[in-house]
Amino acid sequence: MTASAPPSSSPRRPARAPRPLVRAAAFALGAAAGYAADARFADPRRGHPVAAFGSAATRLERRLWRDDRGAGAGYTALCVGTVAAGALALDRTVGRRPLGRAALAAAATWTVLGGTSLTREARTIGRSLAAGDLAAARERLPHLCGRDPSALDGQQIARAVVESVAENTADAVVNALTWGTLAGTPGLLAFRAVNTLDAMVGHRSPRYARFGWASARLDDLAGWPGARLTALLTVAAAPEPRTAWRVWRRDGSAHPSPNAGQAESAFAGAVGVRLGGTLRYGERVEHRPVLGAELRPVTVDDIERACALSRRVGALALGTTVAGHVLLRTLLKKRGRA
């Protein structure tokens, strides 16, 4: 008869937290810190990584430009692929430890967000309009959007500002955070590369009609989920959610852009104003459908209302990112065990 082994006297070590959840929590903490950095400091005036990417993309465009969709697709793939691959390599190297992952997520989030700079620019124009300084408002408007301000009156400038705040709340805040939810730090940085390329070469012009086609279509695809989330969060943050919901569901698809109309129509209903109509971009004139046709015209005071709404939507988007990223990683872990 063999004697049984004596029970071990050494205490059991507590079970470690599942590594994927630790990684997810570290990213969530970093994203929150990066959002706070944007809220406190806005974009750096010098040495911004997005500006550096834009400069590199411009130099590459000079070498690769052809009046051809294939050349543009190659250019887009090279620019976005380089950023995505570099971000993934950083994530795998620096992000092996929770502290490194959190720091990387914080830096990336601060880099890609532009919500504070957006509202600061909008409020600067609003103050000029409120003071009756139309010349100053016209001079500042190109910092916010690409419209020709020379023939715009105060009401038209106010409308342009509110529309730009709505559209860029999606592009500069919610869309990036959405891709952070889905793909962590690489998702944040890759989306910003896509959106920056669209702003550079994705517009309709003789030079970029073919070369910029791939960048524009990729931006439409990448912005699809975030645009709808922006509209939903706008409804949730609206003083009158029913009006915001009604205008969004009715007018969101009337816009020529598959994504911009989602945010703009929801903002129109949330602020209680009429958006859309005729726009001028240099020599090009666009006649867009009116969003919220039954609502009142935009006034200068609506700029502040739109900015406050944008900040509320951004905060909700951060909460969605933090919760969504952890939840997604939890579900993926459970699925991996099945």
Side-chain angles (χ1 to χ4, degrees), residues 202-213:
H203 47 87
R204 297 174 183 174
S205 68
R207 178 176 176 84
Y208 297 126
R210 293 185 180 86
F211 185 80
W213 178 86

Side-chain angles (χ1 to χ4, degrees), residues 19 26 93-102:
R19 184 167 179 79
T93 303
V94 179
R96 289 180 177 177
R97 295 183 178 276
L99 184 60
R101 176 169 289 269

